[in-house]
Amino acid sequence: MLDILKAVIFGIVEGITEWLPVSSTGHIILLDELIRLGQGEEFMEMFEVVIQLGAILAVVVLYFHRLNPFSPKKTEKQKRMTWQIWFKVFIGCLPAGIIGVLFNEWIDTHLFHWPVVAAMLIVYGVLFIIVENYQKGKEPAVTKMSQLTLPMILVIGVFQMLAMIPGTSRSGATIVGALMIGVSRSLAADYTFFLAIPVMFGASALKLIKFGFHFTALQAAVLLVGMAVSFIVSVVAIKFLLRYIQNNDFKIFGYYRIILGVIVILFFGIRSML
């Protein structure tokens, strides 16, 4: 039962931090140090993938109609526009997809360490503050999905690729990239959510294939509970973010990232000296 309770806590943290631009990796690393699951390191890696699947399913459910090109409720024009969205998602995912296939193992081995996580938390926290200050008072140049050009999509895709560095935050990186080229906050958030679907499904599939599907009954229960909680909390987190950005900027997340980065440095730095 203790591991089930821990799965609930991990699911809550994943559901919140996967969509808010604060880095789910940074939070999960700290949480794993405080309340480890008693199922081994290999299972923990699998568990993190499964709760990410719960988070991405929340996007699929919330945006299902908008992203469904086969909906009988849509006109032919609306269906064509939906296919255009998927085309732009596909193009935006290319940089991360190519680098992920080629360097996923290398990134996991060489970059998945707390100094990298802390540095990226702080760097992108500062970037959020700088970009928001620069854009203050300016009207966004791009407010509709149809206005996203191919060069813009590739710029955002490159930022999503950079988010493969642990601690960066996939949503944080893509939102920063979008804001830098004049995309509105609401469109930046929407496009970030859409980009997450193929990227996170692809990354999860790679790890699931790597680790296999052999679980004990307790492990299966832990996985299902963590995924379900992550799904439910993600729905709430996404709706909160969409409401929040209607009247607020992202600077609060920048300050939060900087504080969390400092906490990671202090936590692991002090522990390494003991």
Side-chain angles (χ1 to χ4, degrees), residues 18 21-26 52 92 95-97 99-100 104 107-108 111-112 116-117 120-121 124 127-128 155-177 192 195-196 199-200 203 257:
E18 186 62 54
V22 294
S23 174
S24 60
T25 302
Q52 280 187 336
I99 297 300
N104 183 64
I107 291 171
D108 283 351
L111 298 182
F112 215 96
V116 176
V117 172
M120 291 300 100
L121 281 167
Y124 276 84
L127 273 177
F128 261 124
V155 168
I156 298 172
V158 168
F159 271 87
Q160 180 172 240
M161 178 190 71
L162 294 175
M164 296 179 69
I165 303 173
T168 299
S169 168
R170 194 199 53 76
S171 61
T174 52
I175 287 172
V176 163
T192 292
L195 285 176
V199 168
M200 290 178 63
R257 289 176 65 96

Coordinates of all heavy atoms in Angstrom, one line a residue, residues 18 21-26 52 92 95-97 99-100 104 107-108 111-112 116-117 120-121 124 127-128 155-177 192 195-196 199-200 203 257:
E18 N 4.3 18.7 -15.7 CA 4.5 18.3 -17.1 C 3.9 19.5 -18.0 O 4.5 19.7 -19.1 CB 3.7 17.0 -17.5 CG 4.0 16.6 -18.9 CD 5.5 16.2 -19.2 OE1 6.1 15.4 -18.4 OE2 6.0 16.8 -20.2
P21 N 5.3 25.3 -17.2 CA 6.7 25.4 -17.7 C 7.7 25.4 -16.6 O 8.5 26.3 -16.5 CB 6.7 26.6 -18.5 CG 5.7 27.5 -17.9 CD 4.6 26.6 -17.4
V22 N 7.7 24.4 -15.7 CA 8.6 24.4 -14.6 C 9.5 23.2 -14.5 O 10.3 23.0 -13.5 CB 7.8 24.5 -13.3 CG1 7.1 25.9 -13.2 CG2 6.8 23.4 -13.2
S23 N 9.5 22.3 -15.5 CA 10.3 21.1 -15.6 C 9.8 20.0 -14.7 O 10.1 20.0 -13.5 CB 11.8 21.4 -15.3 OG 12.5 20.2 -15.2
S24 N 9.2 19.0 -15.3 CA 8.8 17.8 -14.5 C 10.0 17.0 -14.1 O 10.0 16.4 -13.0 CB 7.9 16.9 -15.4 OG 8.5 16.5 -16.5
T25 N 11.1 17.0 -14.9 CA 12.3 16.3 -14.5 C 12.9 16.7 -13.2 O 13.2 15.9 -12.4 CB 13.3 16.4 -15.7 OG1 12.8 15.9 -16.9 CG2 14.6 15.5 -15.3
G26 N 13.0 18.1 -13.1 CA 13.6 18.6 -11.8 C 12.8 18.2 -10.6 O 13.3 17.8 -9.6
Q52 N 4.0 9.8 -17.6 CA 4.0 10.7 -18.7 C 2.8 10.4 -19.7 O 2.2 11.3 -20.3 CB 5.3 10.7 -19.4 CG 6.4 11.5 -18.7 CD 7.6 11.6 -19.5 OE1 7.9 10.8 -20.4 NE2 8.4 12.6 -19.2
G92 N 6.9 20.6 -36.8 CA 7.5 21.0 -35.5 C 8.2 19.9 -34.7 O 9.1 20.2 -33.9
P95 N 12.7 18.1 -35.6 CA 14.0 18.3 -35.0 C 14.1 17.4 -33.7 O 15.1 16.7 -33.6 CB 14.0 19.8 -34.6 CG 13.1 20.4 -35.6 CD 12.0 19.4 -35.8
A96 N 13.1 17.4 -32.8 CA 13.2 16.6 -31.6 C 13.2 15.1 -32.0 O 13.9 14.3 -31.4 CB 12.1 16.9 -30.7
G97 N 12.4 14.7 -33.0 CA 12.2 13.3 -33.4 C 13.6 12.8 -33.9 O 14.0 11.7 -33.6
I99 N 16.7 14.0 -33.5 CA 17.7 14.0 -32.4 C 17.4 12.9 -31.4 O 18.3 12.2 -30.9 CB 17.8 15.4 -31.8 CG1 18.3 16.4 -32.8 CG2 18.8 15.3 -30.6 CD1 19.6 16.1 -33.4
G100 N 16.1 12.7 -31.1 CA 15.8 11.7 -30.1 C 16.1 10.3 -30.5 O 16.7 9.5 -29.7
N104 N 19.2 9.6 -28.1 CA 18.4 9.4 -26.8 C 19.3 8.7 -25.8 O 19.3 9.1 -24.6 CB 17.2 8.6 -27.1 CG 16.3 8.3 -25.9 OD1 15.8 9.3 -25.3 ND2 16.2 7.1 -25.4
I107 N 22.0 11.1 -24.4 CA 21.4 12.1 -23.5 C 21.2 11.5 -22.2 O 21.5 12.1 -21.1 CB 20.2 12.7 -24.2 CG1 20.5 13.6 -25.4 CG2 19.4 13.6 -23.2 CD1 19.4 14.0 -26.2
D108 N 20.5 10.4 -22.1 CA 20.2 9.7 -20.8 C 21.5 9.4 -20.1 O 21.5 9.6 -18.8 CB 19.5 8.4 -21.1 CG 18.0 8.7 -21.4 OD1 17.5 9.8 -21.3 OD2 17.3 7.7 -21.8
L111 N 23.7 13.4 -19.8 CA 23.1 14.7 -19.4 C 22.2 14.6 -18.2 O 21.8 15.6 -17.6 CB 22.4 15.4 -20.6 CG 23.3 15.8 -21.8 CD1 22.4 16.4 -22.8 CD2 24.4 16.7 -21.4
F112 N 21.8 13.3 -17.9 CA 20.7 13.2 -16.9 C 21.4 13.2 -15.5 O 21.4 12.2 -14.8 CB 20.0 11.9 -17.1 CG 18.5 12.0 -16.7 CD1 17.6 12.2 -17.6 CD2 18.2 11.8 -15.4 CE1 16.2 12.3 -17.3 CE2 16.8 11.9 -15.0 CZ 15.9 12.2 -15.9
V116 N 23.2 19.4 -14.5 CA 22.6 19.8 -15.8 C 21.1 20.3 -15.5 O 20.7 21.3 -16.1 CB 22.6 18.7 -16.8 CG1 21.9 19.1 -18.1 CG2 24.0 18.3 -17.1
V117 N 20.4 19.5 -14.7 CA 19.0 19.9 -14.4 C 18.9 21.2 -13.8 O 18.1 22.1 -14.1 CB 18.4 18.8 -13.5 CG1 17.0 19.2 -13.0 CG2 18.3 17.5 -14.2
M120 N 19.7 24.1 -16.2 CA 18.7 24.4 -17.2 C 17.5 25.0 -16.5 O 16.8 25.9 -17.1 CB 18.3 23.1 -17.9 CG 19.3 22.5 -18.9 SD 19.7 23.7 -20.2 CE 21.3 24.4 -19.6
L121 N 17.2 24.6 -15.3 CA 16.1 25.3 -14.6 C 16.3 26.8 -14.5 O 15.5 27.6 -14.7 CB 16.0 24.7 -13.2 CG 15.3 23.3 -13.1 CD1 15.5 22.7 -11.7 CD2 13.8 23.5 -13.3
Y124 N 16.5 28.7 -18.2 CA 15.3 29.0 -18.8 C 14.4 29.9 -17.9 O 13.5 30.6 -18.4 CB 14.6 27.7 -19.2 CG 15.0 27.2 -20.5 CD1 16.2 26.4 -20.6 CD2 14.4 27.5 -21.7 CE1 16.7 26.0 -21.9 CE2 14.8 27.1 -22.9 CZ 16.0 26.3 -23.0 OH 16.4 25.9 -24.2
L127 N 15.5 33.2 -18.9 CA 15.0 33.5 -20.3 C 13.5 33.9 -20.2 O 13.1 34.8 -21.0 CB 15.1 32.3 -21.2 CG 16.5 32.1 -21.9 CD1 16.5 30.8 -22.7 CD2 16.7 33.3 -22.8
F128 N 12.7 33.2 -19.4 CA 11.3 33.6 -19.3 C 11.2 35.1 -18.9 O 10.4 35.8 -19.5 CB 10.6 32.7 -18.3 CG 9.8 31.6 -18.9 CD1 10.1 30.3 -18.5 CD2 8.8 31.8 -19.8 CE1 9.4 29.2 -19.1 CE2 8.1 30.8 -20.4 CZ 8.4 29.5 -20.0
V155 N 11.6 27.0 -35.8 CA 12.2 27.7 -34.7 C 11.7 27.0 -33.4 O 12.4 26.7 -32.5 CB 12.0 29.2 -34.7 CG1 12.4 29.8 -33.3 CG2 12.8 29.8 -35.8
I156 N 10.3 26.9 -33.3 CA 9.7 26.3 -32.1 C 10.1 24.9 -32.0 O 10.4 24.4 -30.9 CB 8.2 26.5 -32.2 CG1 7.8 27.9 -32.2 CG2 7.5 25.8 -31.0 CD1 6.3 28.2 -32.5
G157 N 10.2 24.2 -33.1 CA 10.7 22.8 -33.1 C 12.1 22.6 -32.6 O 12.4 21.7 -31.9
V158 N 13.0 23.6 -32.9 CA 14.3 23.5 -32.4 C 14.3 23.7 -30.9 O 15.1 23.0 -30.2 CB 15.2 24.6 -33.1 CG1 16.6 24.7 -32.4 CG2 15.4 24.2 -34.6
F159 N 13.5 24.6 -30.4 CA 13.4 24.8 -29.0 C 12.9 23.6 -28.3 O 13.3 23.2 -27.2 CB 12.5 26.0 -28.6 CG 13.3 27.3 -28.6 CD1 13.5 28.1 -29.7 CD2 13.8 27.8 -27.4 CE1 14.2 29.3 -29.7 CE2 14.5 29.0 -27.3 CZ 14.7 29.7 -28.5
Q160 N 11.9 22.9 -28.9 CA 11.5 21.6 -28.3 C 12.6 20.6 -28.3 O 12.7 19.8 -27.4 CB 10.3 21.1 -29.1 CG 9.8 19.8 -28.5 CD 8.5 19.3 -29.1 OE1 7.5 19.1 -28.5 NE2 8.5 19.1 -30.4
M161 N 13.4 20.6 -29.3 CA 14.6 19.7 -29.4 C 15.5 20.0 -28.2 O 16.0 19.1 -27.6 CB 15.3 19.9 -30.7 CG 16.5 19.0 -30.9 SD 17.5 19.5 -32.3 CE 18.1 21.1 -31.8
L162 N 15.7 21.3 -27.9 CA 16.6 21.6 -26.8 C 16.1 21.1 -25.5 O 16.8 20.9 -24.5 CB 16.8 23.1 -26.8 CG 17.5 23.8 -28.0 CD1 17.5 25.3 -27.9 CD2 19.0 23.3 -28.1
A163 N 14.7 20.9 -25.4 CA 14.1 20.5 -24.2 C 14.4 19.0 -23.9 O 14.1 18.5 -22.8 CB 12.6 20.6 -24.3
M164 N 15.1 18.4 -24.8 CA 15.6 17.0 -24.5 C 16.7 17.0 -23.4 O 17.0 16.0 -22.8 CB 16.1 16.3 -25.7 CG 15.0 16.1 -26.8 SD 15.7 15.3 -28.3 CE 16.0 13.7 -27.6
I165 N 17.3 18.2 -23.2 CA 18.2 18.3 -22.1 C 17.5 18.4 -20.8 O 16.6 19.2 -20.6 CB 19.1 19.6 -22.2 CG1 19.8 19.7 -23.6 CG2 20.0 19.8 -21.1 CD1 20.5 21.0 -23.9
P166 N 17.7 17.5 -19.9 CA 17.0 17.4 -18.6 C 16.9 18.7 -17.8 O 18.0 19.4 -17.7 CB 17.7 16.3 -17.8 CG 18.4 15.5 -18.9 CD 18.8 16.4 -19.9
G167 N 15.8 19.0 -17.3 CA 15.6 20.3 -16.5 C 15.2 21.4 -17.4 O 14.8 22.5 -16.8
T168 N 15.2 21.3 -18.7 CA 14.8 22.4 -19.5 C 13.3 22.6 -19.5 O 12.8 23.8 -19.4 CB 15.2 22.1 -21.0 OG1 16.6 22.0 -21.1 CG2 14.7 23.2 -21.9
S169 N 12.5 21.6 -19.5 CA 11.0 21.6 -19.6 C 10.6 21.7 -21.0 O 10.8 22.8 -21.7 CB 10.4 22.7 -18.8 OG 9.0 22.9 -19.1
R170 N 9.9 20.7 -21.5 CA 9.5 20.7 -22.9 C 8.5 21.9 -23.2 O 8.7 22.6 -24.1 CB 8.9 19.4 -23.2 CG 8.7 19.1 -24.7 CD 7.7 18.0 -25.0 NE 6.4 18.3 -24.3 CZ 5.6 19.3 -24.7 NH1 5.8 19.9 -25.8 NH2 4.5 19.5 -24.0
S171 N 7.5 22.0 -22.3 CA 6.6 23.1 -22.5 C 7.3 24.4 -22.3 O 7.0 25.4 -23.0 CB 5.4 22.9 -21.5 OG 5.8 23.0 -20.2
G172 N 8.2 24.5 -21.3 CA 8.9 25.8 -21.1 C 9.7 26.2 -22.3 O 9.7 27.4 -22.7
A173 N 10.4 25.3 -22.9 CA 11.3 25.6 -24.0 C 10.5 26.0 -25.2 O 10.8 27.0 -25.9 CB 12.2 24.4 -24.4
T174 N 9.4 25.3 -25.5 CA 8.7 25.6 -26.7 C 7.9 27.0 -26.5 O 7.8 27.7 -27.5 CB 7.7 24.5 -27.1 OG1 6.9 24.2 -25.9 CG2 8.4 23.3 -27.6
I175 N 7.4 27.2 -25.3 CA 6.7 28.5 -25.1 C 7.7 29.7 -25.2 O 7.4 30.7 -25.8 CB 6.1 28.5 -23.7 CG1 4.8 27.5 -23.7 CG2 5.7 29.9 -23.3 CD1 4.2 27.3 -22.4
V176 N 8.9 29.5 -24.6 CA 9.9 30.6 -24.7 C 10.2 30.8 -26.2 O 10.3 32.0 -26.7 CB 11.2 30.2 -24.0 CG1 12.4 31.0 -24.4 CG2 11.0 30.3 -22.5
G177 N 10.5 29.7 -27.0 CA 10.8 29.9 -28.4 C 9.6 30.6 -29.1 O 9.9 31.5 -30.0
T192 N 2.2 24.1 -28.0 CA 3.0 23.3 -27.2 C 2.3 22.0 -26.8 O 2.9 20.9 -26.8 CB 3.4 24.1 -25.9 OG1 4.2 25.2 -26.2 CG2 4.1 23.2 -24.9
L195 N 2.2 19.7 -29.9 CA 3.5 19.1 -30.2 C 3.8 18.0 -29.2 O 4.6 17.0 -29.6 CB 4.6 20.2 -30.0 CG 4.7 21.2 -31.2 CD1 5.8 22.2 -30.8 CD2 5.1 20.5 -32.5
A196 N 3.3 18.0 -28.0 CA 3.6 17.0 -27.0 C 3.1 15.7 -27.4 O 3.6 14.6 -27.0 CB 3.0 17.4 -25.6
V199 N 5.5 13.7 -29.8 CA 6.9 13.6 -29.1 C 6.9 12.7 -27.9 O 7.7 11.8 -27.7 CB 7.4 15.0 -28.8 CG1 8.6 14.9 -27.9 CG2 7.7 15.8 -30.0
M200 N 5.9 12.9 -27.0 CA 5.9 12.1 -25.8 C 5.4 10.7 -26.0 O 5.9 9.8 -25.4 CB 5.0 12.8 -24.8 CG 5.6 14.1 -24.2 SD 4.5 15.0 -23.1 CE 4.4 13.8 -21.7
A203 N 8.6 9.1 -27.4 CA 9.6 8.9 -26.4 C 9.2 7.8 -25.4 O 10.0 6.9 -25.0 CB 9.9 10.2 -25.6
R257 N 11.4 28.7 -11.3 CA 12.4 27.8 -11.9 C 13.8 28.2 -11.3 O 14.5 27.3 -10.9 CB 12.5 28.0 -13.4 CG 11.3 27.3 -14.2 CD 11.5 27.6 -15.6 NE 12.7 27.0 -16.1 CZ 12.7 25.8 -16.7 NH1 11.5 25.1 -16.9 NH2 13.8 25.2 -17.2

